[in-house]
Amino acid sequence: MPVIDIHERSFRFACRIVKLHHLLAPRKIIALSLLNQLLRSGTSIGANLEEAKAGQSKADFIAKCRISLKEARESHYWLRLLDATEIVQTPQIAPLVQESNELVAILTTIVKKASASLHRHDFKADDEGPS
C-alpha cells in the first residue's frame, strides 16, 4: 500500500465527508445538525494542516497541528454517533470511522514529535547560556 502524505489523506477524508453530507442532508432532516457538525470538523482537519505548513514558527506549526488533531477527534465522535444511532448504516460509515481514527493516531504522533523537538531545542538554548 503506498504511503499517502497526511495533507493528501486529510483532503481525501474531507472530500468523503462532503459527499456523505451531500448524500444524506436532504433525506435526513433529523440528522442535519449532526451532519453539519461533521462537515465542519471533517473539513477543518486539512484546512488547519495547510495553515500549519505555513506556520510562522515551530510553536505555530504545533498549535495548528493540535487544532487538526482536535478536529479529527471531533469527526471521529460524530461519525461514531451517526453509526450508533443508525442514521447511517455501518457498512457505509465504517471506513470513515476507521480513517478518522487513523488520522487521530497520525496527528497525535506529529504533535508529540514536534513538541518534543521544540522542548529539546528550548532546553539546549537555555542550557547554553550567554557566550
Side-chain angles (χ1 to χ4, degrees):
M1 184 169 157
V3 176
I4 301 173
D5 139 300
I6 186 66
H7 299 279
E8 183 60 27
R9 248 179 117 156
S10 62
F11 180 79
R12 290 180 184 184
F13 180 76
C15 290
R16 291 166 67 191
I17 294 297
V18 169
K19 288 176 183 177
L20 179 69
H21 187 277
H22 180 72
L23 254 158
L24 297 177
R27 297 184 300 179
K28 301 281 187 177
I29 301 302
I30 292 173
L32 189 56
S33 179
L34 300 178
L35 290 167
N36 287 340
Q37 292 282 53
L38 175 60
L39 183 65
R40 283 194 265 304
S41 62
T43 57
S44 183
I45 300 165
N48 280 289
L49 282 173
E50 286 299 316
E51 287 189 32
K53 275 202 282 190
Q56 296 173 346
S57 65
K58 184 86 164 198
D60 188 34
F61 170 82
I62 293 167
K64 298 288 191 283
C65 286
R66 279 191 176 132
I67 294 169
S68 287
L69 173 57
K70 288 170 69 173
E71 297 294 344
R73 287 183 183 281
E74 184 178 340
S75 296
H76 184 74
Y77 174 82
W78 294 123
L79 287 164
R80 287 182 49 234
L81 185 60
L82 288 167
D83 184 27
T85 56
E86 299 177 353
I87 291 170
V88 182
Q89 294 179 352
T90 299
Q92 187 178 13
I93 205 161
L96 285 169
V97 172
Q98 178 63 32
E99 181 65 4
S100 65
N101 195 39
E102 290 177 20
L103 288 170
V104 166
I106 294 166
L107 290 165
T108 298
T109 300
I110 290 170
V111 168
K112 283 183 179 179
K113 285 184 178 182
S115 295
S117 164
L118 180 65
H119 294 307
R120 279 193 306 270
H121 177 68
D122 287 346
F123 178 74
K124 286 179 184 176
D126 292 344
D127 194 35
E128 290 176 4
S131 300

